Amino acid sequence: MMYLEKYKTFFRVPRDMVLIGAVVALVVLVVAAIFADVIARDGGDFIAFSPETSYRETKIYQSPGFEELASDGTIRKHVLGTDQQGRDVAARLIHGTRVALLVGGGSTMISLLIAIFLGSVAGYYGDRSIRYNLVDLFIGGGIVVMAVLLLTYNGVDVSGTIDIANVITILIGMGLLLFVTIRYSPIFFSRSHYLPLDTIVVKLLEVFRAIPGLFLILAIFSLIEKSSLWTVIWVIGILRWGTMTRILRAEMIRLKSEPFVASLKVSGLPDRIILLRHMLPNSIGPLIVSVCFYFSSAILIEASLSFLGIGVPIDIVSWGGMLNASRMYIGAWWMAIFPGALIFATILIFTVMGEWFKTSLKKGRWVRNLGHN
Amino acid sequence: MFRYVLRRILLMIPTIGLVLFFAFVLQSLSRDDEVSRLIELEGNQIYSSYGAYTDAYRLKAEQLGLLQPNFYFSIRPSYVPKEIEQWIPIRRKRGIIHLLKETRDQKGVLEMKRNLSQLLITLSPNPQERTLMSAIKELDDANNLDLLKLRARKIEDSYVESSSTSRQVNVVLDQIDALEVKKGWILPRIDFNGRKNRLHFWLSRGISSEPNLSLVDGSPAMDKVISALKWTFALSFSTLVIIAIFSILLAYYQVKHDGQWLDRLISLKLYALYAMPLFWIATMMVVFFTTDEYGSWTNIFPSVGVELMIGQEYSFWDQLALNAKRLLLPILCMSVHSLAYITKQTKMEMIESSQKPFVQAARARGLNPGQLLRRHIMPDAMVVYVTLLSGRIASLFTGSLIIEYIFNIPGVGKLMLDSMEASDWPVVFVILIFVSVATMIGYLIGDILLAKLYPRTRKELFVT
């Protein structure tokens, strides 16, 4: 009948078993990424082909199971076939794991750092904790405007880097200005107002929500002349802090009204300590969930980018690039299925982990041991 | 309701402003010399002399508003004069700044450069002086002092004696000799530019006109974007309609027959479709179902790619009608992917709200399951459905970049990729702005729709 207590899937596998499966698969992927050079190399024991060498015989691409003389003199099988240039698909897949996990991990770390900073500041301090006066406004605003202008002023340096000497002199000048204004400013200037930190962050979130992600990433890549793996990691990491910031901000707002924060405040702890030592460890649950989802979506974005032929340099093996090549060779079904399946599996691993943590959080087990309850 | 809409629109204005500013900052980071590319496009004739070329360059740059500083005020190192923006081309401007940085000698460097460009203008109509001309051009390109002096010495050794303009050349060489590296503190200087700046020019002319010309064919970027938008819109709108109809039907069926084998099969398939990357689904479809490589029964869909008829007599609608068959597969791929997610969420919400007290009360009053589902559970659970669909409204103008790439549809995403490849960045940024503003308007429409249907959502003006 229709009103079942639980939402059931087709296979009734216990949740924890699914998680264990995902973790095991993740470990396998990580091992493959770390030891890719050992597993798949010329004359290796496991896969006797390296990802970059062309093993070409009669046809352009060969189906799975095709046997060929490897470099060590024995006849070996191309387990998953070869691609359009006669390169071993299995070896390429194993080497592609490295790129996927590096981009996923690196960019998630970057977004996590940005999100922790912006989210906790916006959530904890809110609109009505930090005061400023007009002097601060002029100086802070001046510094921000100057930084933006220095970056945009296309005459700062021919080579594209910022002139450090300029920045230093400007900072010294601002410092002097600060000193003089504070020392001699009339009382009128020192009347203070609240700094709407929260509103600023929320506005920023709104701006980034409005710009479609992939388009923004592409626009930024159109400015970068020569991109490497690290550029991809940085661009994906820096542009995708939105969701995580939103989650952390909401979590901080929730925690702020908990009694333990009030008691910590009463006992005289500085805000910084309350925030870093007590509130952040308590919001670790939602953070872990969103880290899992970020990981999977970063891998997906990287795969999409290399599918479009943007970002990751063409000489680095990546799953998206392999999948893109398959569109030209419709006869070679193995070139379309295996890279795609691996992307799918990797994304699924992180999604399953994220879902598991999310459900555990809802049930309230697993977080109860942490923190101050 | 009216007040809500008004507030919502007013809140949108600063966001649009910020997006525009952000796009401008990104655009000004580009280091390409767009003017020379545009001139090459427009002037089919080869310019008779260097002077004519410079004049054309200056005219074009003025028209694009490039001979202006970036912002309402600018901060420059004190050795850079305010008039630096007037120097063309951009290469030379950057070279001058670099030289100024090394020498801190405003008068010397500018005087030298002025003489150098004068020399180029007088030399260029003269065919005998070609070697000297190219040497001087090299001299002009040198953007650091060492290189400059090296090239100057080379000219001194070989060319000067035979030249008819040797006096002029000598003046320049002497001026180069007089330049020396100087070190010391740099002080910033603030110049106020008033309304004569690029940002103001750019904003006041609007994204439709001069400042944004495509560097590939010289046409306004806006025209290109709008003709691409038609395709994207056609594609996403039909996808939206399909999703809207089928997701609610599927969710209804699944809840009605919850737990039966067909429901569970659909659930599993939906879950798999939802987790599969869109570009994998599309690639597999293309590989397996567009040719008879794998048996004749798999040749279901026509081959990939939209074919555009060239000619004025074909309107957009004609093109669409001619290609309708080819658009089937992309629409199918896009809708299948989103359908999975929306159906899953709607179903979950329905099941959740079937446990709420008001449903229990209704059941106690003796309503049968069908009535319960249609009259009480569905209206309550539809909030998720409407929210998700209104999110899709925002992406009506964005479409799916990857689908457009795979199926070669001339939409916005494809235009973006092509423009990127041709480093046609005015078009890239016009697309970025247009798509962002369209997304915001989409969110606005979605929010208004949601607020009309579910007044309890009105308070959430901010994202939380």
Side-chain angles (χ1 to χ4, degrees), chain B residues 36-101:
Chain B
S36 63
R37 284 178 66 182
L38 276 175
I39 285 183
E40 273 164 31
L41 277 176
E42 276 181 12
N44 290 325
Q45 84 277 21
I46 294 160
Y47 287 97
S48 55
S49 68
Y50 184 77
Y53 178 78
T54 330
D55 286 346
Y57 190 103
R58 182 173 293 279
L59 201 70
K60 193 77 207 168
E62 234 160 47
Q63 199 186 341
L64 297 179
L66 288 177
L67 301 182
Q68 293 170 354
N70 273 340
F71 199 59
Y72 289 92
F73 62 92
S74 28
I75 301 163
R76 298 190 178 90
S78 54
Y79 53 77
V80 178
K82 198 177 175 182
E83 295 74 36
I84 190 72
E85 309 290 346
Q86 295 296 325
W87 282 90
I88 53 165
I90 291 169
R91 257 180 88 78
R92 184 184 281 157
K93 186 173 123 188
R94 291 193 187 132
I96 290 174
I97 290 167
H98 214 285
L99 281 178
L100 282 174
K101 194 171 138 195

Side-chain angles (χ1 to χ4, degrees), chain A residues 1-4 7 10 12 146 152 155 158 169 203 206 210 212 215 304 308 324 330-331 333 336 340-341, chain B residues 11 15 26 70 75 94 97-98 101 186 258 264 280 287 294 347 355 372 398 402 405 416 420 435 439 464:
Chain A
M1 259 312 284
M2 59 184 273
Y3 304 114
L4 288 177
Y7 178 69
F10 194 69
R12 293 179 190 177
M146 279 195 178
T152 57
V158 184
T169 41
K203 207 77 219 167
E206 239 175 63
F215 279 82
S304 322
L308 297 171
N324 188 24
I330 282 179
W333 53 267
Chain B
L11 272 172
T15 317
L26 274 184
N70 273 340
I75 301 163
R94 291 193 187 132
I97 290 167
H98 214 285
K101 194 171 138 195
I186 310 164
D258 190 16
R264 285 201 243 142
W280 190 37
V287 169
Y294 303 98
K347 187 202 162 182
Q355 282 148 15
L372 210 55
T398 324
I402 282 181
Y405 171 71
M416 178 95 177
M420 266 186 75
V435 159
T439 310
T464 42

Side-chain angles (χ1 to χ4, degrees), chain B residues 231 234-236 238-239 242 281-282 285-286 289-290 300-306 319-337 403 407 409:
Chain B
W231 284 94
L235 210 65
S236 340
S238 27
T239 312
I242 292 176
I281 301 180
M285 287 287 207
V286 169
F289 296 115
T290 57
I300 302 169
F301 296 102
S303 58
V304 172
V306 167
Q319 307 267 26
L320 200 64
L322 284 171
N323 284 299
K325 240 175 143 183
R326 291 157 191 271
L327 292 180
L328 235 96
L329 190 57
I331 291 175
L332 184 76
C333 288
M334 276 166 80
S335 40
V336 148
H337 189 71
I403 288 288
F407 293 96
I409 297 159

Side-chain angles (χ1 to χ4, degrees), chain A residues 22-45:
Chain A
V23 170
V24 168
L26 182 61
V27 170
V28 170
L29 276 185
V30 171
V31 168
I34 294 173
F35 298 107
D37 292 331
V38 184
I39 297 170
R41 63 189 158 93
D42 275 321
D45 296 327

